[in-house]
Amino acid sequence: MPPRAPGSDGQHVIVVGAGVGGLCLAQGLRRAGISCAVYERAPGPAWGGYILHMGADGGSALRRCLPEHLYRLYTATSRRSPRRDLVAVLDHHGVELATIPHFGPANDPVLPHTSVHRRTLCQILLSGITDIVHFGHEATGYRHDGGDVVVDFAGGGHARGTLLVGADGINSVVRSRLLPEVAVIPLVEHALLSQAPLTDELADALPAAFEDSFVMIRDPRGTHLAAGLFQPRHAVADAARAAAGVGLDPVEDYVAVSLEITDPDLGPHDFFGAPKGFLHSLMRDAVADWHPSLRLLVDGVAPATIVPRTIRMLPPPATWRTGNVTLLGDAIHAMPPMLGHGANSALRDAAELAAALASGRPVRESLARYESDLRDRTLPLLERALATSPGVTARASR
């Protein structure tokens, strides 16, 4: 049996998953002086490059967990302040129908940072902790040995700690062992994530609502498009040069486009294996009768950026018995992307868990408080996200 890496207080936290939540937790634990290690199944850093909406929960969590120079880098590479920090609801003719406030207080009253490029954020979160983040380690399960928990990896190998945190997403291996009764619920079968470069022509053509934090559009057939501009305060490449030792990939201005398609004609193609050009044709066909500016947006999508996916969620879990295994982020409360609660909730989980473990209280007591608070805030967020899309709500209730 492998020895446990010792911490000065006897704690050693094993984190499974190197997404935004797992990396933020590792930053918070290191800042608190708590020994930890992160294990990620991907062979190396390969985070998807799409926009994440950031609100008060996410911004505050990053401020609590990151060293000051990394927090400043995060704000420098976040989107410049929008016209209105809210979601604008349009019809397919480009007419604004309503607005939806989503995150309450601004995350920073001086420089509200309302969105960030996901890969950029993960690269910032990885900075300074590469010695404790281990790629190419796919967790297959865990077991208890005495008072410790041991994680097993595909191909052999183990990691031992005093606490295991599942930050491994909606298909969490850790959750499937801890809460096997919690089943993933599919909501939208055919959704396409993509990016359209923000050219001058496109910027001039788009409705003014695109200068807000986020835009949602639905037509009478149920086709749904969600979009958000990504224009960082400072060019990501310039910010990286100014931050010695932090490697960030360059990112050009773009519009993130997520399109849900009802009953697409896939012909001989499998949705997830279809050529990118075919998927782009599905997107164009879905908006063929929309306003010219919205068609221009979809026409401008770069086919190489298109990623097919299903939209899924987890039902709110019942209370579980606190032990030395816990969860955060999508591993325990994956929710629809409407209003962007997912990343913010994962970051808040990470900050709250790091603070609980650093509180000086007994670990079980700290974990019980963390898990109780997590459950109390998850259901209202989930219900609010579902309420923004009646079609999704109906499917979730089946």
Side-chain angles (χ1 to χ4, degrees), residues 18-25 47 52 118 121-122 125 342-343 346-347 350:
V20 294
L23 292 176
C24 185
L25 175 61
W47 306 283
L52 294 176
R118 182 173 183 264
L121 177 59
C122 286
L125 287 167
L347 291 167

Side-chain angles (χ1 to χ4, degrees), residues 62-257:
L62 290 170
R63 187 187 289 275
R64 293 164 65 186
C65 291
L66 286 175
E68 181 60 29
H69 73 287
L70 292 182
Y71 180 77
R72 289 198 303 270
L73 181 58
Y74 155 69
T75 59
T77 55
S78 67
R79 178 188 165 173
R80 66 187 69 164
S81 300
R83 182 184 68 160
R84 301 179 298 184
D85 188 14
L86 45 74
V87 175
V89 180
L90 311 183
D91 66 16
H92 65 296
H93 301 299
V95 177
E96 184 172 308
L97 304 176
T99 58
I100 306 173
H102 40 85
F103 289 118
N107 51 24
D108 188 316
V110 179
L111 290 174
H113 29 98
T114 59
S115 61
V116 69
H117 190 65
R118 182 173 183 264
R119 185 167 62 246
T120 299
L121 177 59
C122 286
Q123 289 173 332
I124 292 170
L125 287 167
L126 183 62
S127 181
I129 59 170
T130 55
D131 58 317
I132 60 171
V133 179
H134 309 284
F135 292 95
H137 286 71
E138 180 181 357
T140 58
Y142 67 85
R143 50 205 159 89
H144 293 93
D145 184 65
D148 290 346
V149 60
V150 178
V151 180
D152 297 314
F153 299 113
H158 318 275
R160 176 190 285 263
T162 54
L163 173 66
L164 169 61
V165 181
D168 48 342
I170 193 169
N171 295 318
S172 172
V173 170
V174 178
R175 187 194 69 251
S176 67
R177 166 86 158 77
L178 180 66
L179 300 171
E181 70 280 4
V182 177
V184 175
I185 300 174
L187 299 176
V188 177
E189 186 175 1
H190 301 109
L192 296 165
L193 292 179
S194 64
Q195 293 177 18
L198 187 59
T199 62
D200 290 341
E201 178 189 12
L202 181 58
D204 291 341
L206 289 174
F210 277 76
E211 297 176 22
D212 301 334
S213 288
F214 217 65
V215 173
M216 295 197 304
I217 305 167
R218 184 177 296 276
D219 69 14
R221 298 186 304 273
T223 303
H224 178 253
L225 184 148
L229 297 183
F230 183 68
Q231 297 172 290
R233 300 180 193 283
H234 303 283
V236 173
D238 293 342
R241 282 192 290 271
V246 182
L248 301 181
D249 295 335
V251 183
E252 301 298 327
D253 294 358
Y254 66 87
V255 185
V257 179

Side-chain angles (χ1 to χ4, degrees), residues 13-17 25 163-167 174 324-328 353:
V13 181
I14 301 295
V15 182
V16 174
L25 175 61
L163 173 66
L164 169 61
V165 181
V174 178
N324 62 348
V325 178
T326 195
L327 301 157
L328 65 75
L353 181 54

